[in-house]
């Protein structure tokens, strides 16, 4: 079977419709329908059946799914290794990071990368979602939790200090009437954030004014007097008008991890970014000194 057809088959499985698969792959709806029909003609059996919830696999489709995913992994591995063996310092480098980390920590690093290697173009994916590096959703990722996927080279890059921040008026309210202070919190529906626990412990009777997955949004709401928030110090110190409030002690810090797939360990533009990052953050280490995960894939 042709890999391009298998790729469309997997997109339909994941999107549960021809239209969603077409949008994901950037092709036309008729193209997807035509290629699925060609696969079904080759198999001489239907691969999907229509339900009220969308397209679902038939027994025949389910039987070939594992083989299709194995074929996909081989194709992705070839793509990663070809990218990793690129000898010239040029091209797109896909970087996943939280918006605040990209804006206030990585931005000076991108400037230096551009000065030294102008043909390398950083493509920043500013998202709190943990992207799949094995599928090359990103070449390298910076995040606050260690990587659990197999074959990822990772290392602890730095410890990020946090502080409690608010506007000048809010900082005074913490002294005068703590119970009147409202709280701006991380949305903890999908993950645990120690700073949320710390803040709730210190303001047990205060109401929440906002929850958000974006630290940058929280900083702007703090600046406008909407409450207090625990923020990474590089972000808060980059927003003029925010006051750090030290009366209640220091919030917990977080480790920042950097990771990339082992097949990309020879990609020169990736190594250049990591070397500059380590130099500017003053925790030098070789990109090849990371720890590789060997345990089974987690779902």
């Amino acid at each position: 079977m042709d890999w391009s057809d298998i790729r469309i088959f997997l997109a339909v499985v994941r999107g549960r419709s021809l239209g969603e698969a077409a949008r994901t792959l950037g092709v036309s709806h008729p193209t997807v329908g035509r290629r699925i029909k060609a696969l079904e003609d080759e198999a001489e059996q239907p691969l999907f059946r229509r339900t009220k919830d969308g397209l679902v696999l038939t027994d025949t489709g389910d039987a070939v799914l594992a083989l299709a995913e194995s074929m996909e992994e081989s194709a992705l591995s070839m793509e990663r290794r070809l990218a990793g063996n690129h000898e010239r310092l040029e091209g797109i480098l896909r970087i996943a990071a939280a918006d605040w980390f990209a804006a206030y920590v990585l931005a000076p690093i991108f400037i230096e990368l551009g000065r030294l290697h102008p043909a390398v173009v950083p493509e920043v994916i500013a998202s709190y979602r943990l992207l799949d590096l094995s599928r090359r959703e990103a070449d390298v990722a910076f995040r606050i939790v260690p990587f659990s996927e197999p074959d990822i080279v990772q290392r602890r890059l730095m410890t990020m200090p946090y502080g409690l921040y608010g506007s000048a008026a809010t900082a005074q309210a913490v002294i005068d009437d703590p119970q009147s202070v409202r709280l701006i919190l991380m949305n903890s529906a999908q993950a645990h954030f120690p700073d949320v626990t710390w803040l709730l412990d210190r303001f047990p009777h205060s109401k929440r004014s906002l929850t958000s997955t974006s630290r940058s949004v929280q900083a702007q709401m703090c600046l406008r007097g909407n409450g207090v928030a625990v923020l990474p110090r590089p972000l808060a110190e980059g927003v003029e008008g925010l006051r750090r409030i030290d009366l209640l002690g220091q919030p917990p810090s977080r480790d920042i991890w950097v990771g990339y797939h082992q097949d990309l360990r020879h990609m020169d533009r990736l190594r250049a970014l990591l070397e500059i990052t380590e130099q500017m953050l003053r925790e030098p280490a070789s990109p090849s000194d990371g720890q590789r995960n060997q345990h089974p894939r987690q779902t």
Side-chain angles (χ1 to χ4, degrees):
M1 289 185 179
D2 188 271
W3 160 236
S4 61
D5 290 345
I6 294 299
R7 184 165 169 257
I8 288 175
F9 167 77
L10 290 170
V12 174
V13 171
R14 291 159 185 162
R16 302 178 72 88
S17 75
L18 302 183
E20 183 61 30
R23 284 189 291 273
T24 299
L25 298 176
V27 298
S28 70
H29 190 289
T31 295
V32 174
R34 187 168 58 252
R35 298 320 306 162
I36 291 298
K37 185 179 185 304
L39 279 174
E40 292 180 328
D41 289 345
E42 187 172 351
E44 299 182 349
Q45 298 179 69
L47 301 176
F48 296 93
R49 58 185 176 87
R50 295 186 179 277
T51 72
K52 63 179 182 179
D53 297 321
L55 295 177
V56 298
L57 289 170
T58 62
D59 289 343
T60 301
D62 191 58
V64 301
L65 176 60
L67 296 174
E69 290 176 332
S70 177
M71 191 173 182
E72 177 188 46
E73 179 54 37
S74 296
L76 290 171
S77 179
M78 181 180 295
E79 180 183 337
R80 290 191 303 265
R81 295 196 180 198
L82 288 173
N85 287 329
H86 201 302
E87 295 181 355
R88 293 175 294 177
L89 275 170
E90 65 178 18
I92 300 294
L93 184 62
R94 291 169 56 81
I95 302 158
D99 59 347
W100 67 267
F101 190 80
Y104 292 93
V105 178
L106 295 181
I109 293 168
F110 297 152
I111 296 297
E112 182 67 7
L113 178 67
R115 185 183 71 82
L116 295 175
H117 310 291
V120 176
V121 180
E123 181 178 292
V124 180
I125 307 166
S127 171
Y128 68 91
R129 185 170 69 88
L130 302 182
L131 301 184
D132 189 339
L133 298 182
S134 67
R135 297 184 185 277
R136 290 208 69 196
E137 291 183 341
D139 297 322
V140 60
F142 297 85
R143 66 194 207 190
I144 59 174
V145 293
F147 296 79
S148 60
E149 304 90 336
D151 302 322
I152 300 299
V153 179
Q154 65 173 309
R155 68 176 290 263
R156 188 185 67 80
L157 182 65
M158 63 181 296
T159 298
M160 177 61 61
Y162 284 66
L164 179 64
Y165 290 89
S167 66
T170 303
Q172 187 60 45
V174 172
I175 299 172
D176 297 338
D177 185 11
Q179 292 190 25
S180 70
V181 175
R182 294 188 295 173
L183 308 182
I184 299 171
L185 304 173
M186 281 296 290
N187 185 334
S188 56
Q190 296 180 334
H192 171 68
F193 292 93
D195 55 278
V196 172
T197 302
W198 182 90
L199 196 54
L200 292 174
D201 285 346
R202 279 149 183 80
F203 294 92
H205 304 296
S206 295
K207 295 181 180 180
R208 305 183 186 196
S209 64
L210 175 81
T211 64
S212 172
T213 57
S214 170
R215 299 283 190 184
S216 298
V217 169
Q218 294 172 38
Q220 290 301 316
M221 296 302 288
C222 276
L223 184 63
R224 287 160 173 77
N226 200 52
V228 294
V230 174
L231 299 171
R233 289 193 183 182
L235 163 60
E237 291 168 4
V239 178
E240 186 176 355
L242 283 181
R243 298 279 187 90
R244 195 167 85 219
I245 305 167
D246 293 328
L247 298 175
L248 305 175
Q250 298 301 315
S253 59
R254 300 297 298 270
D255 288 336
I256 302 293
W257 295 80
V258 58
Y260 53 93
H261 197 279
Q262 63 165 338
D263 289 345
L264 300 184
R265 63 189 182 277
H266 299 305
M267 180 190 280
D268 283 349
R269 58 187 183 274
L270 171 60
R271 294 180 66 87
L273 172 73
L274 295 177
E275 287 169 3
I276 294 169
T277 300
E278 289 155 356
Q279 290 169 5
M280 295 186 68
L281 296 179
R282 298 183 180 179
E283 292 192 21
S286 168
S288 61
D289 288 342
Q291 171 187 353
R292 183 182 306 164
N293 298 327
Q294 299 289 358
H295 45 77
R297 180 180 298 274
Q298 297 183 356
T299 57

